[in-house]
Amino acid sequence: MSVAAASRAAPRGSGLARLLNGPHDIGRTPGAWAVLAAGLASFLVYPHWATAFQATNVAYYLLNIPMALGLSLLWGYGGVLSFGQVAFFAVAGYVYGIVAGNLPDAPWGTWLGVVSGLGASAALAAVFGYFIFYARVAAWIVPILTLVLALLLSTFLGLTAGSMWTVGQVPLGGYNGMTGIPALQVGTLTFQDYAFYYLTVGVVVLCYIGLRAWVNAHRGQVLMAIREDTLRTELLGYDVRREQLRAFVLAATLAGVSGLLYVQWGNYITPSVTGLQQAALPVVWVAVGGRDSLLAVAICTFLLNQLSYVLSSAGNQYALVIIGALLVAVMMFAPEGIVVTLARRTWRRRR
Amino acid sequence: MPEAVSLLYQFGTNAAFLLLSALGLIVILGMMNIINLAHGEFMMLGAYAATASVQRGVPFPLAVLIAAVAVGLFGVVIERLIVRRFYGRELGALVVTWGISLILGQGALLLFGPFMPPIAIPGGAVALGDYSFSVYWLFLIVLCGVLLAALAFVYRATRFGLQARAAMQNARMARALGIRVDRIYMATFALGAALAGLSGALLAPTTSIAPFMGQQFVAPAFITVVVGGGASVIGGALGSSGLLSLVQTPVAFLFGTFSGTLALLLTALVVIRLLPGGVSSIGRYFTRRSLAAAR
Amino acid sequence: MSDGDALLRAEGLCKRFGGVVAAQSIDFALRRGELRCVIGPNGAGKSTFFSLLCGIQRPDAGRIVFDGRDITRLKPFQRVRLGIGLTFQTNRAFHAMTVAENLETARRGGAAGDDVHFQTALASFGLAAQLERPASALPHHELQWLEICMALRRGPLLLLLDEPTAGMSPAETARTAEVLTALAADGLAIAVVEHDIAFVRQVAQTVTVLHQGAVFAEGSFAEVTARDDVRRIYLGHVHEAAA
Ligand SMILES: Nc1ncnc2c1ncn2[C@@H]1O[C@H](COP(=O)(O)OP(=O)(O)OP(=O)(O)O)[C@@H](O)[C@H]1O
Ligand SMILES: [Mg+2]
């Protein structure tokens, strides 16, 4: 290999396929891709046998995946932990509800809601993140302050009962939350039931593919370099504060995507989505799956959401205890995450 | 004149609340660089232990002591079983203690049910002009001073304090000098837990006692810790609770409790932007403890 | 060092850590194409001096002018973008990445200068053939060379190396010296902290001796090593290196 060519070209080119198969996620063998494709295919044909209710439930298990992927990017790949992703989830949901709810007759009303919702999440993250990352605070301060942000947002939303807190024609609703949030619309198609299911599957797949390419591309590489050695990275000419802020805003936007899907699902949102217990859940999904693998996080988020749903709809009071114990056990005995540990074992045995 | 006293009382009450909420957390952070996210639940356990004792006819002051000791012992168990494995991994410690907090909150609900009978506030009120002041809160304000003085004494004048400060500055060196750093960490965590239990018990009469009561302390306690920083326990606790109360008292008075708490968060953001190491880092120069890790 | 066209000029740099004075009024100037060795006993303040130059530490007093600009208040990444490359005393290449990824990360760190020095170093150190290897698989001396190549990747005007040959065999050290000499002859300004006297003898045009945070002596290798007082403060290391 000539010196000039070797040092000029990026090591793996930059085509999407090559990025996707880059080293920074599990599942790179042809076999793994086949399993992934089969998985996706079964999600695509599933509604054929399922009722609209069942399909909507499955969509519910899926819709938190973008938020979890964002946290995986931030924590697993970037080494920056946030406990407040649910705040961005809630902001997107509420802002969407306000905008779309005030434009019931405009054909593009709901889409303006989407843009404003994501914009609001990103803007909040940018302002908040500026203070945190440009101060170069110690690592433990980021999760603490983001958690406080989520809790205060929840408290604030709980106080918004009464006509004083009606924006245009949409009441925020205090503890009872905002109801009657309109579903996304294109022409005559409303994204409910099966359409909502396919929307969710599509968004989740897009987020996953996009992020997997991102972590294998230059920006992701820099994020991992910062995680490994912040000072060394800065002394290669990178503005570390900016790179971290960028990842933070991206993760917040992804949390916003989940928030938007959530309000499509139930057409309501309450302050509890950004309360202390909900705030813990993304951390659990990501830690239990394996924070530095997007695929593991996606799989684990799906499974744990299903578990929580089953537990809570069976009226099981131990749900939180089980989730908490799972988190403690994983942090102690499988700190790489359960899914990642299993995947690596299988891979090793095959070799 | 009574207005001024009332304002001062409000200020003192807020500062005392912040300081009590955060003290155990600050002790653990300052000495071990570990954040205990189950701190609020430790306070809840303190409140429960005190209530249970009072119900069995134990006088309140004794009940508070029992709560502190009980939660301190509980802290030892948690440290030995779990936290011990996370030294040097601050983010891991944060996550695992959050898991503990989930278990404790929901566990308390399952074991003790949703309600605990309240404890009556001891002491009456004193009046000045049109204002009346709770004797108990005045006592708490004074007690905060006593607690800080006691901590200062422990750090400065006891063997434990000396060894703890050595371990905090350079664990490897301390180990080489024969200090049992492991023991020091355990004792520190127990001290932090006991302080959380003590605060929970002391604040129990002023609030409603419920399994998830720990949550109300999360925002004030953690903001106090962030603003204080980890460089000096006493300086951080005092400076931070004082500064925050200075902001919170007028804002809460004019715009309500929520705005007061929001002002705390905004203050924290501004303080870290100006002083990433918190207010205690102002004193860093004098304590000769360099935080610059880069070499 | 009176030349007005110095690439780097430090004036009166001071830095204290609590009670330790790590730098007290260091004056230092470096021309383009100059290869300077900075020597001094352990704890003399050599690494501190470098971290002041590249912005890891802020000086308590003094001023740094680089390429005609006052950079005293600039952040590390801003100084790197102006053309300063640095390696650390302990190797800090990214061990989890391949050689090529390390170099790619280094390449995209900001606006790039001329990369001829980098190409020279990459070829001379023989790393071009190892691009796909993980950095963790490289032997120690190649890791050191990799970090030098990373620092050179974007074409800096000034290279600061903190003990690059520590732990290398004599042959590897000599190779390093050869390459650095060639780079300097090509116009690159290099300052190297070194304990290895053989290395210093081979490369240095001028040697600066730091002692207790201050410039203790400066001159040619022969001048400096002939001075009794230098030998006295540095004797331990001379023996170590010779042994
Ligand atoms: N971040 C820091 N905090 C406190 N003291 C420091 C710090 N960095 C350096 N020092 C002190 O400053 C003095 C100079 O250290 P420095 O590392 O610059 O020496 P050096 O010449 O590079 O030594 P060596 O040959 O061992 O690398 C030493 O006494 C050291 O302990
Ligand atoms: Mg050094």
Side-chain angles (χ1 to χ4, degrees):
Chain A
M1 196 184 284
S2 93
V3 174
S7 55
R8 196 181 337 103
R12 292 176 313 277
S14 53
L16 183 64
R18 286 177 161 206
L19 282 183
L20 284 181
N21 216 25
H24 301 298
D25 198 357
I26 56 172
R28 291 190 297 277
T29 58
W33 280 107
V35 172
L36 273 185
L40 178 59
S42 50
F43 273 108
L44 290 179
V45 298
Y46 169 71
H48 189 72
W49 294 282
T51 65
F53 176 74
Q54 289 169 321
T56 310
N57 272 354
V58 171
Y60 176 75
Y61 310 146
L62 289 168
L63 64 81
N64 281 311
I65 290 179
M67 173 159 63
L69 291 178
L71 181 60
S72 164
L73 174 80
L74 201 58
W75 178 21
Y77 292 82
V80 175
L81 180 52
S82 162
F83 284 170
Q85 294 309 97
V86 286
F88 308 111
F89 176 102
V91 163
Y94 269 93
V95 169
Y96 171 87
I98 291 170
V99 173
N102 276 302
L103 297 166
D105 303 321
W108 38 266
T110 53
W111 293 96
L112 187 64
V114 168
V115 174
S116 342
L118 294 181
S121 293
L124 177 63
V127 173
F128 199 76
Y130 166 78
F131 278 97
I132 294 180
F133 295 113
Y134 277 67
R136 294 175 187 259
V137 291
W140 58 268
I141 289 191
V142 186
I144 293 300
L145 284 184
T146 46
L147 178 63
V148 171
L149 174 73
L151 295 184
L152 286 193
L153 185 64
S154 178
T155 311
F156 166 72
L157 291 169
L159 294 173
T160 58
S163 55
M164 191 189 142
W165 290 103
T166 298
V167 185
Q169 36 184 295
V170 179
L172 297 186
Y175 268 109
N176 300 323
M178 188 188 277
T179 51
I181 298 174
L184 268 176
Q185 262 180 319
V186 186
T188 55
L189 173 67
T190 305
F191 285 95
Q192 278 165 335
D193 301 336
Y194 293 119
F196 168 63
Y197 173 84
Y198 280 113
L199 175 73
T200 306
V201 172
V203 168
V204 166
V205 169
L206 272 184
C207 286
Y208 174 69
I209 301 267
L211 270 187
R212 184 156 173 170
W214 206 84
V215 296
N216 283 304
H218 174 63
R219 286 260 94 80
Q221 189 90 264
V222 173
L223 206 55
M224 284 173 266
I226 293 173
R227 179 193 63 190
E228 202 176 325
D229 191 335
T230 309
L231 187 61
R232 173 74 271 181
T233 313
E234 169 146 13
L235 281 166
L236 292 173
Y238 291 96
D239 187 348
V240 167
R241 308 166 303 176
R242 221 182 122 146
E243 301 292 336
Q244 290 181 326
L245 180 60
R246 190 202 315 270
F248 188 67
V249 171
L250 178 58
T253 311
L254 286 163
V257 169
S258 286
L260 291 179
L261 289 173
Y262 176 80
V263 294
Q264 308 303 318
W265 170 72
N267 304 108
Y268 71 88
I269 186 165
T270 66
S272 70
V273 297
T274 174
L276 193 61
Q277 284 158 22
Q278 288 295 318
L281 294 180
V283 178
V284 177
W285 306 326
V286 172
V288 173
R291 60 181 180 273
D292 53 4
S293 162
L294 295 167
L295 185 59
V297 165
I299 293 171
C300 184
T301 305
F302 176 75
L303 294 177
L304 284 184
N305 272 285
Q306 189 160 7
L307 176 73
S308 310
Y309 187 85
V310 171
L311 285 178
S312 63
S313 55
N316 191 321
Q317 298 194 311
Y318 289 89
L320 265 187
V321 176
I322 294 172
I323 297 272
L326 188 62
L327 184 59
V328 172
V330 165
M331 291 305 290
M332 288 179 68
F333 304 114
E336 288 194 309
I338 292 181
V339 178
V340 168
T341 305
L342 288 179
R344 298 222 163 113
R345 281 225 183 112
T346 325
W347 182 70
R348 241 175 253 139
R349 209 177 301 135
R350 284 224 194 103
R351 206 166 46 149
Chain B
M1 172 60 191
E3 286 82 3
V5 174
S6 161
L7 211 61
L8 204 63
Y9 168 81
Q10 277 306 324
F11 167 80
T13 315
N14 285 333
F17 178 81
L18 291 169
L19 196 125
L20 284 176
S21 310
L23 199 54
L25 207 53
I26 294 186
V27 165
I28 296 177
L29 172 75
M31 311 272 294
M32 302 157 69
N33 209 21
I34 290 262
I35 289 277
N36 174 20
L37 252 165
H39 178 73
E41 278 63 36
F42 280 24
M43 289 178 71
M44 176 269 293
L45 289 180
Y48 269 65
T51 312
S53 310
V54 167
Q55 275 179 323
R56 279 162 189 71
V58 178
F60 181 66
L62 192 56
V64 170
L65 282 183
I66 291 177
V69 171
V71 179
L73 289 177
F74 184 71
V76 171
V77 174
I78 294 286
E79 197 270 350
R80 283 292 99 181
L81 288 181
I82 301 172
V83 174
R84 176 169 66 89
R85 301 167 183 242
F86 291 88
Y87 292 145
R89 290 162 50 198
E90 6 176 353
L91 296 187
L94 267 170
V95 173
V96 83
T97 49
W98 201 351
I100 296 171
S101 96
L102 292 177
I103 299 174
L104 291 180
Q106 187 72 19
L109 177 65
L110 292 171
L111 285 178
F112 309 119
F115 302 109
M116 275 299 250
I119 303 180
I121 293 201
V126 289
L128 182 67
D130 293 339
Y131 298 91
S132 84
F133 307 105
S134 151
V135 171
Y136 187 62
W137 269 111
L138 292 171
F139 162 75
L140 286 184
I141 295 170
V142 174
L143 189 71
C144 281
V146 175
L147 274 177
L148 283 181
L151 269 181
F153 176 78
V154 168
Y155 282 136
R156 295 279 144 75
T158 65
R159 218 169 81 97
F160 165 75
L162 183 70
Q163 297 192 338
R165 280 185 298 148
M168 171 177 98
Q169 294 192 4
N170 190 337
R172 268 232 310 278
M173 179 66 85
R175 218 166 264 132
L177 291 174
I179 296 176
R180 298 181 63 181
V181 174
D182 202 46
R183 281 288 167 83
I184 296 285
Y185 280 171
M186 186 179 87
T188 305
F189 196 84
L191 175 64
L195 283 171
L198 182 77
S199 303
L202 286 170
L203 291 173
T206 71
T207 181
S208 58
I209 301 165
F212 295 108
M213 66 183 284
Q215 297 183 6
Q216 66 183 302
F217 303 114
V218 169
F222 287 115
I223 291 177
T224 307
V225 170
V226 167
V227 171
S232 142
V233 171
I234 304 201
L238 198 60
S240 169
S241 54
L243 172 70
L244 287 170
S245 172
L246 212 55
V247 176
Q248 185 190 21
T249 309
V251 175
F253 177 74
L254 293 173
F255 305 107
T257 319
F258 171 74
S259 303
T261 317
L262 184 63
L264 291 182
L265 176 61
L266 297 180
T267 311
L269 290 180
V270 173
V271 167
I272 57 164
R273 188 71 186 88
L274 301 175
L275 291 170
V279 290
S280 64
S281 65
I282 302 172
R284 184 176 68 196
Y285 183 82
F286 304 101
T287 56
R288 292 186 180 177
R289 174 168 176 241
S290 171
L291 291 179
R295 270 239 259 161
Chain C
M1 297 294 105
S2 58
D3 45 345
D5 57 28
L7 174 66
L8 173 81
R9 177 184 298 286
E11 292 161 6
L13 288 186
C14 297
K15 181 75 192 176
R16 314 170 54 111
F17 295 110
V20 182
V21 182
Q24 45 180 327
S25 196
I26 298 182
D27 292 313
F28 185 86
L30 197 67
R31 281 173 284 110
R32 286 169 208 274
E34 186 176 351
L35 203 175
R36 176 80 61 93
C37 282
V38 178
I39 64 174
N42 289 113
K46 305 178 296 292
S47 298
T48 304
F49 174 50
F50 273 20
S51 54
L52 290 171
L53 291 180
C54 71
I56 299 172
Q57 306 276 5
R58 280 281 183 87
D60 301 328
R63 180 171 112 91
I64 305 166
V65 178
F66 175 72
D67 200 16
R69 288 186 54 169
D70 186 331
I71 60 166
T72 318
R73 311 247 126 234
L74 294 189
K75 307 227 157 15
F77 72 90
Q78 292 167 322
R79 301 188 194 198
V80 172
R81 288 178 186 179
L82 288 179
I84 296 181
L86 171 125
T87 66
F88 293 92
Q89 185 165 350
T90 47
N91 189 282
R92 284 169 82 166
F94 300 107
H95 291 221
M97 298 183 188
T98 64
V99 171
E101 285 170 337
N102 267 292
L103 294 174
E104 177 66 8
T105 307
R107 183 180 73 87
R108 298 179 64 161
D114 182 359
D115 71 349
V116 286
H117 297 311
F118 163 70
Q119 299 296 354
T120 313
L122 190 70
S124 328
F125 285 140
L127 286 171
Q130 320 222 35
L131 290 175
E132 295 309 322
R133 285 181 78 183
S136 54
L138 295 185
H140 171 75
H141 67 281
E142 285 187 340
L143 269 176
Q144 294 290 77
W145 289 344
L146 171 61
E147 208 181 350
I148 294 177
C149 287
M150 288 165 70
L152 284 171
R153 186 64 191 87
R154 289 180 47 264
L157 304 171
L158 168 65
L159 190 60
L160 302 173
L161 305 175
D162 198 344
E163 303 198 21
T165 69
M168 286 190 190
S169 73
E172 291 151 6
T173 303
R175 175 106 168 263
T176 312
E178 241 166 65
V179 174
L180 293 181
T181 314
L183 291 174
D186 225 18
L188 182 67
I190 306 177
V192 193
V193 167
E194 241 337 316
H195 279 312
D196 186 332
I197 278 310
F199 175 93
V200 177
R201 180 183 295 125
Q202 187 179 350
V203 305
Q205 300 151 358
T206 312
V207 176
T208 299
V209 184
L210 282 188
H211 180 49
Q212 295 181 342
V215 176
F216 185 80
E218 200 162 77
S220 73
F221 179 78
E223 278 166 25
V224 165
T225 49
R227 279 176 58 169
D228 274 349
D229 47 357
V230 171
R231 297 177 79 95
R232 210 171 304 126
I233 61 162
Y234 210 63
L235 208 54
H237 292 284
V238 176
H239 275 300
E240 263 172 38

